[in-house]
Amino acid sequence: GWCPLSPAGAQSTQILVEPPWRSAVLWDWVTLTCQGLGSASATTWYKDWQRWGQEKWDGLNVTESGTYMCDRPGTRCSPAVTVWNAQLVLQVPAQELLDWDTVTLRCQL
């Protein structure tokens, strides 16, 4: 069930998280979108490092907490995204941040 090996130098797929906050939590109604080369109809999803299913679409509405990855033939698996079922979480915007950036923090209860 783990992501298959891919050709050396293959491009990674990426996961877009909506809403765009880290850490992702179930009660935010999280949608994951797999982005990368190849057909969206060939997207395979993994949950907790096991094959989760072959989806016809690149989007996945998350209904269970866990760690998610996606893959398409000829590419490397995406980085892992963990969705928590937490009662209290401190969230930051999902984009990459630099030391001098101004950032909005969100404490959700």
Side-chain angles (χ1 to χ4, degrees):
W2 181 236
C3 273
L5 292 175
S6 56
Q11 181 178 347
S12 291
T13 50
Q14 298 296 319
I15 292 185
L16 175 68
V17 183
E18 286 293 334
W21 294 90
R22 287 190 305 224
S23 300
V25 287
L26 273 182
W27 35 259
D28 260 346
W29 302 98
V30 173
T31 298
L32 303 178
T33 303
C34 192
Q35 296 182 320
L37 301 175
S39 169
S41 64
T43 302
T44 302
W45 288 94
Y46 298 83
K47 178 180 179 284
D48 298 328
W49 293 276
Q50 296 294 320
R51 187 181 172 122
W52 182 243
Q54 184 98 19
E55 300 290 330
K56 292 183 179 178
W57 302 281
D58 54 2
L60 178 70
N61 295 318
V62 178
T63 58
E64 299 179 16
S65 59
T67 300
Y68 293 84
M69 301 172 72
C70 70
D71 172 58
R72 290 184 185 166
T75 64
R76 290 188 313 220
C77 278
S78 70
V81 170
T82 299
V83 180
W84 304 91
N85 189 15
Q87 293 184 354
L88 179 66
V89 65
L90 181 66
Q91 294 178 305
V92 298
Q95 78 265 20
E96 193 164 324
L97 300 170
L98 302 173
D99 287 344
W100 52 85
D101 285 343
T102 300
V103 62
T104 299
L105 301 179
R106 188 168 82 157
C107 188
Q108 294 279 65
L109 176 61

